[in-house]
Amino acid sequence: MNEFGNMPQAATDKYQQQRAQAIRCAAAVFAEKGFHGASTKDIAERIGIKQGSLYYYFKSKEEALGEVCLYGIEDYVHRMDGIAASEQPFAAKLLATVTSHLSSYRERNEALKVHNDERLYLPEEKRQKLHKLGSRYRKSLQGIFQEGVASGDLRDSIDCHFAAQAVIGICNAWGDIIVREPDLDIFDVTQKCVDLLLNGFCERRKNTRQDRRA
Amino acid sequence: MNEFGNMPQAATDKYQQQRAQAIRCAAAVFAEKGFHGASTKDIAERIGIKQGSLYYYFKSKEEALGEVCLYGIEDYVHRMDGIAASEQPFAAKLLATVTSHLSSYRERNEALKVHNDERLYLPEEKRQKLHKLGSRYRKSLQGIFQEGVASGDLRDSIDCHFAAQAVIGICNAWGDIIVREPDLDIFDVTQKCVDLLLNGFCERRKNTRQDRRA
DNA sequence: GAGGAATTCTATAGATCTATTGAATTTTTA
DNA sequence: TAAAAATTCAATAGATCTATAGAATTCCTC
């Protein structure tokens, strides 16, 4: 105990590292059992400490959930910012986006799953914060499509909102599969995904502009 | 009480109807709070009975979850069987599939959500049964794509497994949105979805075969 | 290695929650 | 309408689970 009781020493490096480890453990447990199905005992055991000690790192179970959710998406939201701001042609941005999204599933699949499935159990304020991050992601993606239309790479009849959500849907569906099947090649899936988005599945007489570029 | 204790009278029509109503209430509560987050008291209150009375309709909370999950997908799996077996051209089957999938979200969104998010908390046997239904759905959809390739409507370079999962991903993403936004027109979303799948988003010089048919 | 700071532990209060049991009530049947 | 069947209820055992408090232990620094 220290002069303030058992308050954590948020300033120290060691504390922050151990907390980060605790967040990853919590992610694994929440991903497996869900927020309400996972007990603080489960999480503590995964970390290798006793149940009560968990509260040295988190004020509550809910706070732990918040940290896991944030950890799950902060990374790929930031990568998305970079892609959207970069000076690449449309097709390259789309490819980078899909690769990034699918890679997130490999790297942080547990935390990402928790974010997708459990964030609604967070208190309003925290949920709002995550919602804003998600919106930023969707808007960036939608912006990429709008640029594609403006540059003439895409048909001007397409609905960019629909397109962005469709991409997210495909990436989430295949993200789950990628997690289940570790031998799957992300780049291979990415290629198929981009091919669908650009060209569709329909038989074609003539090569498209994209095909000729490749 | 009857001669067998308080056993439910599974044979009677009234019992089956009330049980069906209980399943729909359970679906709503599970959808809102998740399986572990929802208590039997919550479910009973939604039905309008006391907590203990719930066990007249379900052997356990887990059984209730199983019934909700089944209710969530049985309908659209069966509709899918019908579509796959029908004698329509490829594009019509694809359109029917997407419409059916999106409509399921409107009609049974709570149970469907529960199936998607909570079925992993079911005991092995029940989960297997649902998994088989899901597989049947995926295989039917994949089969439709294979027919499309065989008939020349689709490029023979496409990966039908990828295609089927992509369709499911898009439908799930847009299904969620459709539930949140009641004013959205399902047919409009369906059209955009099929257009993406057939033609992609890319600018095109020549009309495709599908376009000319329309 | 002594003293203070940081970390973990034990123990527990108090609030759930599931499932069971037998009684009470309502509905149906004769 | 009275008996029988079906449905609901109240009460509770027993097993959780979260969060707290203060003691015990480990770690670091001088």
Side-chain angles (χ1 to χ4, degrees):
Chain A
M1 213 189 304
N2 62 29
E3 59 183 316
F4 306 111
N6 280 2
M7 293 305 289
Q9 302 307 304
T12 70
D13 248 24
K14 187 186 167 198
Y15 177 80
Q16 288 302 337
Q17 274 183 11
Q18 303 229 29
R19 190 166 189 269
Q21 171 63 11
I23 291 170
R24 283 189 294 271
C25 289
V29 177
F30 284 147
E32 189 187 329
K33 305 193 167 190
F35 174 63
H36 291 109
S39 71
T40 50
K41 185 162 177 279
D42 293 330
I43 299 168
E45 266 170 11
R46 168 83 62 141
I47 299 172
I49 58 179
K50 300 290 176 183
Q51 185 263 341
S53 307
L54 199 65
Y55 290 79
Y56 185 63
Y57 295 105
F58 305 108
K59 208 161 61 27
S60 66
K61 189 182 163 190
E62 225 168 43
E63 185 184 277
L65 176 62
E67 297 298 296
V68 170
C69 290
L70 190 60
Y71 177 76
I73 60 159
E74 58 180 3
D75 204 53
Y76 86 132
V77 169
H78 287 143
R79 263 188 282 176
M80 186 53 166
D81 288 342
I83 293 168
S86 68
E87 299 281 345
Q88 305 174 79
F90 166 77
K93 282 190 182 181
L94 184 60
L95 195 89
T97 301
V98 174
T99 305
S100 162
H101 196 128
L102 293 177
S103 300
S104 291
Y105 266 93
R106 269 275 158 77
E107 294 156 16
R108 299 195 177 182
N109 70 77
E110 286 154 339
L112 198 47
K113 179 178 161 58
V114 173
H115 169 267
N116 290 341
D117 295 350
E118 317 289 332
R119 65 162 180 260
L120 76 152
Y121 304 127
L122 286 169
E124 187 57 21
E125 190 200 10
K126 196 87 185 176
R127 207 167 66 228
Q128 287 268 335
K129 197 178 155 189
L130 289 167
H131 184 76
K132 274 187 192 160
L133 283 173
S135 294
R136 204 165 93 201
Y137 186 84
R138 281 190 296 280
K139 278 180 193 155
S140 293
L141 184 49
Q142 196 169 330
I144 289 176
F145 277 103
Q146 282 158 349
E147 282 175 35
V149 171
S151 69
D153 286 314
L154 299 181
R155 292 186 273 146
D156 55 11
S157 60
I158 77 168
D159 175 339
C160 292
H161 177 225
F162 171 85
Q165 292 285 4
V167 172
I168 291 170
I170 296 173
C171 287
N172 285 338
W174 274 94
D176 284 341
I177 297 169
I178 280 172
V179 171
R180 280 203 308 274
E181 297 176 23
D183 291 340
L184 257 184
D185 181 39
I186 287 184
F187 192 65
D188 185 47
V189 176
T190 304
Q191 291 280 19
K192 285 171 180 165
C193 188
V194 171
D195 183 38
L196 161 60
L197 292 167
L198 294 181
N199 304 314
F201 291 146
C202 205
E203 182 63 270
R204 195 70 48 66
R205 292 288 150 77
K206 232 171 127 52
N207 283 339
T208 65
R209 190 187 300 187
Q210 294 295 332
D211 288 332
R212 273 177 277 113
R213 272 192 193 158
Chain B
M1 209 189 306
N2 61 28
E3 60 183 316
F4 307 111
N6 280 2
M7 293 303 290
Q9 303 307 306
T12 70
D13 247 24
K14 187 187 166 196
Y15 178 80
Q16 289 301 337
Q17 273 184 13
Q18 303 228 26
R19 190 165 189 269
Q21 172 62 11
I23 291 170
R24 284 190 292 271
C25 289
V29 177
F30 283 147
E32 188 187 329
K33 305 193 168 189
F35 175 63
H36 290 110
S39 72
T40 50
K41 184 161 178 281
D42 294 329
I43 299 168
E45 266 170 10
R46 169 84 61 141
I47 300 172
I49 57 179
K50 301 290 175 183
Q51 184 263 340
S53 308
L54 199 64
Y55 290 80
Y56 185 63
Y57 295 105
F58 305 108
K59 210 163 59 24
S60 66
K61 189 181 164 190
E62 225 168 42
E63 185 183 275
L65 176 62
E67 297 298 297
V68 170
C69 289
L70 190 60
Y71 177 75
I73 60 159
E74 58 180 4
D75 203 54
Y76 85 128
V77 169
H78 288 142
R79 261 188 285 176
M80 187 52 167
D81 289 340
I83 294 168
S86 68
E87 299 282 345
Q88 304 173 82
F90 167 77
K93 283 191 182 181
L94 184 60
L95 195 89
T97 302
V98 173
T99 305
S100 163
H101 196 129
L102 293 177
S103 298
S104 291
Y105 267 94
R106 268 276 158 76
E107 294 156 14
R108 299 196 176 182
N109 71 76
E110 287 154 339
L112 198 48
K113 179 179 161 60
V114 173
H115 169 268
N116 290 342
D117 295 350
E118 315 289 334
R119 64 162 182 262
L120 76 152
Y121 304 126
L122 286 170
E124 187 57 21
E125 191 200 9
K126 197 86 186 175
R127 208 168 62 229
Q128 287 267 335
K129 197 177 155 189
L130 290 167
H131 184 75
K132 273 186 194 162
L133 282 174
S135 293
R136 202 165 96 200
Y137 187 84
R138 280 191 296 280
K139 276 178 194 155
S140 293
L141 185 49
Q142 198 170 330
I144 289 176
F145 277 103
Q146 282 158 349
E147 284 174 34
V149 171
S151 70
D153 286 314
L154 299 180
R155 293 186 272 149
D156 54 11
S157 61
I158 76 168
D159 174 340
C160 293
H161 177 225
F162 171 84
Q165 292 286 3
V167 172
I168 291 170
I170 296 172
C171 287
N172 284 340
W174 274 94
D176 284 341
I177 297 169
I178 281 173
V179 171
R180 281 203 307 274
E181 297 175 24
D183 291 339
L184 257 183
D185 180 40
I186 287 184
F187 193 65
D188 186 47
V189 176
T190 303
Q191 290 281 18
K192 284 172 180 163
C193 188
V194 171
D195 183 37
L196 161 60
L197 292 167
L198 294 180
N199 305 315
F201 291 145
C202 205
E203 183 61 271
R204 194 75 45 68
R205 292 288 150 78
K206 233 171 127 49
N207 282 341
T208 65
R209 192 186 301 185
Q210 292 296 333
D211 287 334
R212 271 176 280 114
R213 271 190 195 162

